[in-house]
Each structure stands twice: as C-alpha cells, then as structure tokens.
Amino acid sequence: VIKVLVGSLMFCISVNIFIVPNDLYTGGVLGVAQLIRSIVIDVFKLNVAFDFSGILYYVINIPLFVIAYKQLSKTFFYRTLLIISIQTVMLSLIPTVGIIDEILTNVLVGGLLGGAGLGIILSCGASTGGSDIIGLLLAKKNNEFSVGKLGLILNVFVYSITGLIYGLQTMIYSIIYSFVDSLTIDKMHEQNICST
C-alpha cells in the first residue's frame, strides 16, 4: 500500500509540477482528459481554480474498470480503482506550479519521475488505469508486447491533436516526455517481472 501511494504521488507530482505548468500533455487516457480540459477552458473561457483533468480521467476510466473486473484479477481491479481514486484527488489538489524554468529539463525530470512512479505501481500488481489495463491484457497474451509500447502507440492520437491545436513545439516536448516515461515504466516493470 505504501509503495502504491508513493508511486501515485510521484506520478501526480510529475504531471502537476513538471508537465501541466508547461502546457504539455502526458498522453494516453490522461492526455485525452487533459486535451478535453484545455479545449473546454479555451472554448468557454473558463477560469477554474484547479486542474479538473483528473476528474475527467476518472470518468473516462469507468468502462475500463469493467474490463479490468472481468478480464483481470479482482485484486488488480480493486487496487486500480483505489489508485485512480487517489490520483484523481492528488491531480486535483496538487498545485500546477512549475519549479524549473527550462522546458526540456521539466520534460526529462517529469518523464523519469512519472515513469518510475507508474513502474512502482505496476510492480505492486496494480495500475493507474487507462492504457495500462489494455496494455497488461495484451502483454499477458503476447510476450513481445509491453505496457509502454501500447502507451506510445495510443499517444499518436493524443499528440497529433495536440500538434494541430497547440503547435509543433508542444507536441514534440510532450512526445519526449512520453518516450522517457514509457522507457522508465518498462524498465521498472520488466525488472519486477524478472525478479518475480
């Protein structure tokens, strides 16, 4: 439980301190939630006190909860439900304030911190939902497949939209973040599988 909480905190800090303040996107289902949030704020000219992408992330994950419940273990489902609930609260409460000015440093530190956090969560037999659930199902069926690879594949959609709406620079830095994050997740998760 402590490892799951630490991993969740690491991931949420990486998003709210290193990625969101630089107007970048994480990719995957959370990236979709962030895009929806940005579009809603831009279209309706909203001034909100907190980042509500965590709440959108939770709502989008509801159908994936059903898949996890039916296809994966009940323990995995309950842990994932708990983690997504915790992360929804953390993503809503952790202030989106940057602490480093240089954008590439933010992307690299955010990717390493977020990937390590997600890797810790996966090594505990749980996930943060979204593409993790689908990736774990596919990885169980094919040893050549990994959660990180699916994340990169799904991010083509998110980053294409990001590039079209918010520009090439935002898209490129978001892709670099996703690449570092995915490599770190795979390294942490593969080490756990080997040790098990």
Side-chain angles (χ1 to χ4, degrees):
V1 172
I2 291 171
K3 283 174 69 176
V4 165
L5 290 172
V6 168
S8 295
L9 183 61
M10 289 170 64
F11 174 70
C12 292
I13 287 172
S14 81
V15 171
N16 280 9
I17 292 180
F18 296 102
I19 302 307
V20 173
N22 290 291
D23 297 320
L24 301 176
Y25 297 86
T26 61
V29 175
L30 180 57
V32 170
Q34 290 172 319
L35 274 173
I36 293 169
R37 174 220 50 218
S38 295
I39 292 168
V40 167
I41 287 173
D42 291 346
V43 168
F44 295 106
K45 309 278 189 254
L46 298 177
N47 185 14
V48 291
F50 69 98
D51 185 357
F52 60 90
S53 60
I55 295 167
L56 292 171
Y57 180 62
Y58 192 90
V59 170
I60 293 169
N61 266 294
I62 291 172
L64 297 173
F65 289 150
V66 174
I67 293 170
Y69 186 80
K70 291 181 178 180
Q71 300 289 321
L72 300 168
S73 74
K74 304 300 182 249
T75 302
F76 176 85
F77 165 76
Y78 290 119
R79 287 180 186 168
T80 301
L81 180 63
L82 175 65
I83 288 165
I84 293 174
S85 300
I86 290 168
Q87 287 184 346
T88 296
V89 172
M90 287 182 181
L91 287 168
S92 298
L93 296 180
I94 294 172
T96 54
V97 178
I99 58 173
I100 300 172
D101 292 331
E102 211 285 308
I103 192 165
L104 185 58
T105 304
N106 279 292
V107 167
L108 295 175
V109 172
L112 288 169
L113 184 64
L118 292 175
I120 289 169
I121 291 167
L122 288 173
S123 73
C124 295
S127 87
T128 58
S131 60
D132 291 353
I133 292 171
I134 299 165
L136 287 170
L137 286 171
L138 293 174
K140 283 175 65 175
K141 295 179 181 184
N142 183 350
N143 290 337
E144 298 296 317
F145 206 82
S146 70
V147 176
K149 286 178 187 173
L150 176 66
L152 285 173
I153 292 167
L154 292 177
N155 289 341
V156 169
F157 168 75
V158 173
Y159 296 134
S160 296
I161 303 273
T162 300
L164 289 171
I165 297 174
Y166 298 107
L168 191 59
Q169 180 174 326
T170 299
M171 181 182 80
I172 290 171
Y173 280 120
S174 296
I175 289 170
I176 294 169
Y177 163 79
S178 180
F179 182 74
V180 172
D181 183 74
S182 295
L183 287 176
T184 308
I185 290 169
D186 280 353
K187 193 66 173 166
M188 300 281 294
H189 191 231
E190 285 169 7
Q191 285 176 344
N192 177 68
I193 290 169
C194 290
S195 66
T196 302

